[in-house]
Amino acid sequence: MSVKEIYLLSIKGGSRIGLVAELTDVMGPYDVNILDVGQAEIHDMLSIGMLVEVTKENSQKVFKDLVFLSHHLGIQVSFTPVSSMEYERWVTMQSRGRYTVTVLSRRLNSRHLHLVSKILSDHGMNVDQIVRLSDLMSLRDSNLKVSRSAFQLQVSGKPRSVGALREELFKVSLQEPIDVAVQEDDLFRRNRRLILFDMDSTLIQCEVIDELAKHAQVGEEVAKITEAAMRGEIDFKESFRRRMKLLKGMDESVLEGIADSLPITEGAPRLIANLKMLGYKVGILSGGFTYFAQKLQKELGIDYVYANQLDFKDGKLTGEVKGEIVDAQRKAELLKYIAQQEGLSLKQVIAVGDGANDIPMLKLAGLGVAFHAKPKVKEQAQVGISTLGLDGILYLLGIRDSEASTKGKTRLPEAPVPFSRL
């Protein structure tokens, strides 16, 4: 019985079409088993690592032919013997935890990557692979408002505490202009199918009730109540009733004007268009108003809309709402209900919000994203995005810019599912 040996082949050189085919063609006659292989290309420079098993009598022949080929092609090749004990150690390491760490910024600095990688190493985590998800940006354009930098780190190991790891990375995001997301690299991360948004200050760049208050000349008073509610200092239902009473008597024409000029958040159309293309269902769970949410439904192709229904009399606001107020608990209930209607696990749900009344649904979802949120909210969510637009969520799903559609599309919405059965 032939004795077999294990070697790690390292191939480096200029990028070349068909290189893997040429390398394996040389190995073919010698019955070489490929145990593992990895390849990376950075700006026309190629690096290939190949773990192979070959009989002792054939190993020198393979090496000789590979060296001859490398001279012919102008590349470098080296051979490192690997003991069977070392190989088996690598086999057992496969059972270690695996995580995906996504680093987002307008422009990534070496200091940022150092801070993230240092924290990972301090937790005993090994960075196995780094992949750029964002397109390269021309250095001729120094506009940081449109530039984007997104890198995905595949990490293995068992951190002392995933919670402690996230907390340390969260502190970095408070001090530096980056976002860092840690997710378990499991089946659910690649199989989300439902995304639910808060509306005000999430899908749109304003708080509608504050805009209404400005027209009613009670802007400062309402804004103070809104801020206190967002910080969690006032019960949402109570704050909502207080604000609505201040709007009593407003003419519906004012609402029409605001609805026609809602400032949609950067990246929202692109995000939703791409997720719809992938088969996602999309919903709005808002403590705002259906009057405005249904406008977004038509523009963005939203499947579900649940918000507060305004009450009118003679074309003017009565200062009341119809039905139950959509507060934090209601949002969480709605999330569970919609997931059940779609036949999905909660782990397949993404929830996105910015305020204290979004925290329960952010914690309930498989992926909770605090979007440009207050630190208190960001700390409670698994992931925070404060540097990019809403389409930064595509990076959290491992989607490259080169794979995603560049523009959002609009279509007629489907009718929202009634909530009568809850």
Side-chain angles (χ1 to χ4, degrees):
M1 185 175 182
S2 299
V3 176
K4 292 191 175 182
E5 299 175 325
I6 301 172
Y7 291 90
L8 178 62
L9 310 186
S10 298
I11 300 102
K12 298 179 180 179
S15 179
R16 178 188 179 90
I17 294 176
L19 178 58
V20 173
E22 293 181 86
L23 291 168
T24 50
D25 182 51
V26 167
M27 299 179 196
Y30 302 109
D31 192 27
V32 176
N33 293 326
I34 297 176
L35 304 176
D36 196 8
V37 63
Q39 177 175 318
E41 181 179 337
I42 301 180
H43 303 285
D44 296 329
M45 289 302 296
L46 190 67
S47 177
I48 301 174
M50 193 175 294
L51 192 66
V52 301
E53 182 188 44
V54 60
T55 59
K56 187 172 184 179
E57 57 266 29
N58 283 340
S59 61
Q60 295 305 313
K61 299 175 186 177
V62 174
F63 297 162
K64 180 180 177 181
D65 288 355
L66 284 173
V67 168
F68 181 82
L69 177 66
S70 69
H71 284 301
H72 175 69
L73 298 179
I75 60 175
Q76 298 176 354
V77 60
S78 62
F79 314 93
T80 303
V82 176
S83 69
S84 58
M85 184 178 296
E86 180 70 0
Y87 175 73
E88 292 303 324
R89 185 180 71 83
W90 291 344
V91 171
T92 59
M93 287 172 64
Q94 293 179 117
S95 61
R96 297 189 305 171
R98 296 191 175 275
Y99 297 85
T100 297
V101 178
T102 313
V103 183
L104 309 177
S105 65
R106 289 295 179 180
R107 188 162 293 175
L108 187 68
N109 186 279
S110 58
R111 181 180 69 259
H112 303 153
L113 191 56
H114 163 72
L115 291 170
V116 172
S117 58
K118 179 66 166 57
I119 289 172
L120 291 172
S121 65
D122 288 346
H123 280 262
M125 310 290 286
N126 184 65
V127 178
D128 301 323
Q129 184 183 48
I130 302 178
V131 176
R132 176 173 51 82
L133 300 177
S134 54
D135 283 344
L136 287 171
M137 301 295 293
S138 172
L139 295 178
R140 295 174 182 174
D141 186 358
S142 59
N143 186 358
L144 289 179
K145 290 183 179 180
V146 298
S147 66
R148 294 189 293 192
S149 181
F151 288 84
Q152 178 176 281
L153 284 62
Q154 295 302 134
V155 180
S156 61
K158 293 182 179 179
R160 298 189 303 272
S161 163
V162 177
L165 174 63
R166 285 194 172 118
E167 184 178 351
E168 289 183 44
L169 293 171
F170 167 69
K171 289 178 180 177
V172 171
S173 71
L174 293 179
Q175 299 167 357
E176 302 286 343
I178 62 171
D179 297 313
V180 189
V182 179
Q183 301 177 71
E184 280 193 67
D185 189 23
D186 58 14
L187 179 64
F188 291 108
R189 191 185 77 84
R190 300 182 292 275
N191 195 34
R192 318 281 189 200
R193 284 297 176 268
L194 172 64
I195 185 165
L196 300 170
F197 296 94
D198 173 45
M199 181 174 67
D200 295 33
S201 297
T202 300
L203 268 184
I204 57 175
Q205 293 178 304
C206 69
E207 293 286 329
V208 169
I209 198 165
D210 290 347
E211 297 302 309
L212 294 174
K214 289 176 186 177
H215 285 273
Q217 298 183 342
V218 291
E220 290 187 12
E221 194 171 348
V222 166
K224 288 179 181 178
I225 299 172
T226 300
E227 280 296 311
M230 294 289 284
R231 293 192 298 267
E233 296 171 2
I234 303 176
D235 172 75
F236 180 81
K237 287 185 178 181
E238 176 59 27
S239 70
F240 189 79
R241 292 188 183 97
R242 288 190 201 176
R243 289 176 289 179
M244 285 305 303
K245 287 179 181 178
L246 292 170
L247 301 177
K248 183 177 179 180
M250 177 175 287
D251 194 275
E252 187 174 357
S253 62
V254 174
L255 281 74
E256 291 177 357
I258 293 174
D260 290 336
S261 58
L262 291 175
I264 296 176
T265 299
E266 174 197 354
R270 180 171 179 261
L271 170 64
I272 292 173
N274 277 280
L275 294 185
K276 296 293 287 186
M277 182 176 64
L278 294 172
Y280 275 68
K281 291 293 184 179
V282 182
I284 293 175
L285 304 182
S286 175
F289 308 110
T290 55
Y291 193 98
F292 301 95
Q294 287 170 354
K295 173 75 173 179
L296 292 175
Q297 183 179 34
K298 292 178 182 178
E299 289 192 20
L300 300 175
I302 306 294
D303 299 292
Y304 295 90
V305 168
Y306 292 107
N308 299 300
Q309 187 174 354
L310 291 167
D311 185 44
F312 292 92
K313 184 176 181 180
D314 299 327
K316 297 182 183 296
L317 289 177
T318 65
E320 304 289 339
V321 293
K322 296 179 180 179
E324 185 177 349
I325 293 174
V326 177
D327 62 357
Q329 187 56 40
R330 186 71 163 163
K331 286 186 179 185
E333 292 171 353
L334 285 162
L335 183 148
K336 288 189 284 188
Y337 171 74
I338 296 172
Q340 184 179 31
Q341 290 296 111
E342 293 294 335
L344 299 174
S345 161
L346 293 179
K347 291 185 177 181
Q348 293 176 278
V349 181
I350 303 172
V352 189
D354 72 298
N357 67 328
D358 296 314
I359 291 175
M361 76 169 184
L362 295 180
K363 296 179 77 171
L364 190 62
L367 176 61
V369 181
F371 181 72
H372 288 259
K374 300 287 190 300
K376 176 182 177 181
V377 181
K378 191 174 178 182
E379 190 174 8
Q380 293 285 325
Q382 298 126 305
V383 175
I385 294 182
S386 299
T387 58
L388 305 182
L390 274 173
D391 53 348
I393 291 172
L394 294 173
Y395 297 134
L396 302 182
L397 305 177
I399 298 173
R400 294 180 171 89
D401 280 343
S402 58
E403 299 169 326
S405 170
T406 57
K407 295 181 180 180
K409 299 178 181 179
T410 59
R411 65 167 178 78
L412 292 176
E414 299 174 13
V417 173
F419 193 50
S420 59
R421 280 174 285 174
L422 185 63

